[in-house]
Amino acid sequence: MSELVGLNSNHLDLDLGIVRVMGKGRKERIVPVGVKAIEVLNAYLEERGMLGGEEPIFINSIGGRLTARSVGRLIKKYSRHSGIFRKVSPHSLRHTFATHLLDAGLISRDPGDVRTFKSLNYSEIYPCQHGEIDGGL
């Protein structure tokens, strides 16, 4: 969650379809952004009026950086609005995403395998053009 709320405008490259995120231990990862996410982000950024430098990408109603707690509340609100009444959290969404990657053979549970979730490598897992990626962020 901290990666999402910590995103700044200079971390996002929609032309390349990637976002640079800082993970635990200040490790930088390059993450592909799916086609649908690029479309939605472009619309959001166009409506918002974009941004330069290190401005936060996701802001609250008063213009401050969105917090992890706010994202959790939004997930709860919109899952209920969508008719999902079980508990949905940022962690459960991340787990679901990882499960889909496992099922698709894009990552492995074997710690010796280079495709483990902790060591996802953009060039090994997504060798296609970013326009062909349907999932992603």
Side-chain angles (χ1 to χ4, degrees):
M1 180 61 60
S2 61
E3 293 96 340
L4 175 73
V5 298
L7 287 177
N8 293 329
S9 57
N10 60 339
H11 298 150
L12 188 61
D13 188 331
L14 295 178
D15 293 330
L16 289 178
I18 59 171
V19 63
R20 289 182 304 109
V21 296
M22 295 301 285
K24 292 180 180 177
R26 303 283 304 155
K27 286 188 176 182
E28 182 180 88
R29 292 191 316 258
I30 306 297
V31 179
V33 180
V35 174
K36 296 291 183 192
I38 290 172
E39 291 172 8
V40 171
L41 280 166
N42 275 325
Y44 166 75
L45 295 173
E46 183 178 319
E47 181 178 319
R48 182 172 163 205
M50 193 52 182
L51 296 179
E54 294 192 20
E55 289 184 66
I57 292 176
F58 300 109
I59 57 172
N60 59 27
S61 60
I62 59 171
R65 184 179 296 276
L66 202 60
T67 66
R69 179 170 273 210
S70 295
V71 172
R73 282 194 295 261
L74 289 168
I75 289 171
K76 183 177 181 179
K77 173 184 174 181
Y78 287 109
S79 62
R80 296 256 161 96
H81 181 73
S82 299
I84 301 169
F85 295 100
R86 340 184 294 212
K87 182 180 177 187
V88 178
S89 67
H91 178 77
S92 66
L93 291 176
R94 184 172 193 256
H95 178 77
T96 301
F97 180 67
T99 300
H100 287 296
L101 291 177
L102 277 167
D103 290 346
L106 296 174
I107 61 173
S108 170
R109 290 182 193 272
D110 178 5
D113 191 326
V114 295
R115 298 173 300 135
T116 59
F117 193 69
K118 197 171 189 177
S119 66
L120 287 178
N121 180 319
Y122 179 82
S123 62
E124 292 171 350
I125 294 171
Y126 298 103
C128 58
Q129 297 282 22
H130 82 276
E132 297 174 25
I133 299 171
D134 197 24
L137 246 187

